[in-house]
Amino acid sequence: MSLYTATYTDLYQLSMAQVYFKKDRHSQQAVFDYYFRKNPFNGGYTIFAGLENVLDSLKEFRFTEEDLDYLKTQNFDASFLEYLKDFRFRGSIFSVLEGDVVFPNQPILRVEASLIEAQLIETFLLNMLNFQSLIATKACRMRYIAKDRTLLDFGLRRAHGPGGYYASRAAFIGGFNGTSNVLAGKNFGLPISGTMAHSFIQSYGDELQAFRDFAEHRPKNCVLLVDTYNTLKSGVPNAITVAKEMEVRGQRLLAIRLDSGDLAYFAKQSRKLLDEAGLDYVQIAASNQLDEYVIKSLQEQQAPIDIYGVGTNLVIGKPDAALGGVYKLAFYDGKPRIKISENIAKITMPHAKQVYRLKNDKGEWVGSDAIGLTSEGSFEVMEHPFEVYKSMRLTGLQREALLQPVMEKGERSFATKTLQEIADYREKRFAQLPTEYKRFNNPHHYKVGISEQLKEERDRLIKLHKSL
Ligand SMILES: Nc1ncnc2c1ncn2[C@@H]1O[C@H](COP(=O)(O)OP(=O)(O)OP(=O)(O)O)[C@@H](O)[C@H]1O
Ligand SMILES: O=P(O)(O)OC[C@H]1O[C@H](OP(=O)(O)OP(=O)(O)O)[C@H](O)[C@@H]1O
Ligand SMILES: O=C(O)c1cccnc1
């Protein structure tokens, strides 16, 4: 499913586009970079997600008759609206592949298109990439700490409106095993799974009968929620009774779910009761405001929890709630462009650029990426972007160019990836990131440097603008 209409944008994009058109500035070529300045969650990395949806939707990115009728009521010029009738994105996109591990202040995606086309896709592109990258990163943090336990997304009810749809997709990329979100399952090919709510048991009053009826009609992957009345005195014993009845029918209860109280204590006690009843195959699921820190604590307490169901904290990207990715002009009409700022970290990088992941002779990541101009050949020294005396020789290191052509002249230039392929790629790339960047507290800082030529160009433009 893609968002077909080009009015999924901010008004200022259209206001600027109209001026570009009227002043005949719209068709000159421009280069924009997508990047962010800080990893979410005070972490050491970010997982890049949302690219497939961007490429999919750009094919359909157009103004409908109704869009144009609406814009007419907003005082847009008739000749501009006429132009928008045939508006299509016919530019090129170079991007890091979806699922890769990325870092602050490096271009993750580069758009090369006419100024008006590059401008009009900005809001949609940021909306898609910022949100999914945030959620994929949150999910990856939980996957890292949960090791081989099952992680399920239960977040749709707590998500920021329809954002929950894409959150489920991003969670899978980040390492979740499945989702309770049926629409995301249907449209993205995600495994769906789920248990039961307290209301089901409450509606019976009789917990045992509720479990029996549920097991009768959903014997496959059946999970019984055991904390409605009294977890250890009624929930678990009733689940054991039903599990035994299922055995007689040649079926197996998959799991029980704990949703309140001290999850480590209840998991340990429940495990004991299940094992004593000969039900060591029945797994234990837990939910209730989980996040990577609670999961870490539960793992440290050796809570015998096999399945974690995570809602709110995953799908709203708590506590960050947004990734501040930006989209900045780097080149237009044959000239490099720069944005100056009092805050040196906010000065943009001019020109079309490539990013290289640096590896040792064994192909292992060394903890640095280097940004160079696409127009320059191989460079041997990487400079710190802001600090004068910090630089690193690149001699002997392998370089992997991260920005790949993914769209050329409005057409996709690489095959559609399934979500499973993207998730597998995330797993493979994340495995290559050394552990010091993965810890939650004070993760190691991954270095992103720039070539001497890029630095000279940036500093030349800063001086040029200061002298004006
Ligand atoms: N053993 C544990 N170690 C660490 N955190 C836990 C443990 N057990 C539960 N938690 C987490 O502590 C938080 C609060 O748990 P608490 O039992 O107070 O839940 P609650 O929402 O008040 O639920 P209820 O009143 O339904 O028991 C939740 O995020 C929960 O996941
Ligand atoms: O805590 P979260 O990480 O957001 O996970 C989702 C929560 O949503 C459900 O509770 P809810 O009270 O909405 O419904 P229920 O009656 O099914 O428990 C579920 O039982 C989880 O506790
Ligand atoms: O299937 C579940 O157990 C579930 C689904 C959504 C939210 N909470 C729980």
Side-chain angles (χ1 to χ4, degrees), residues 259-265 288-290 294 297-298 301:
D259 187 48
S260 56
D262 185 322
L263 296 173
Y265 171 78
N288 188 15
Q289 292 296 311
L290 301 179
V294 176
S297 168
L298 292 169
Q301 295 167 72

Side-chain angles (χ1 to χ4, degrees), residues 153-158 180 193-197 257 259 287:
D153 154 38
F154 284 172
L156 185 58
R157 66 189 54 202
R158 302 273 149 65
S180 64
S193 60
T195 73
M196 57 167 59
R257 175 162 75 100
D259 187 48
S287 51

Side-chain angles (χ1 to χ4, degrees), residues 16-28 83 115-116 332-333:
M16 291 185 280
Q18 174 166 274
V19 180
Y20 294 152
F21 174 74
K22 297 300 283 184
K23 298 292 180 187
D24 205 18
R25 301 171 62 78
H26 59 298
S27 55
Q28 289 91 321
Y83 165 82
L115 180 59
I116 197 164
Y332 170 63
D333 196 18

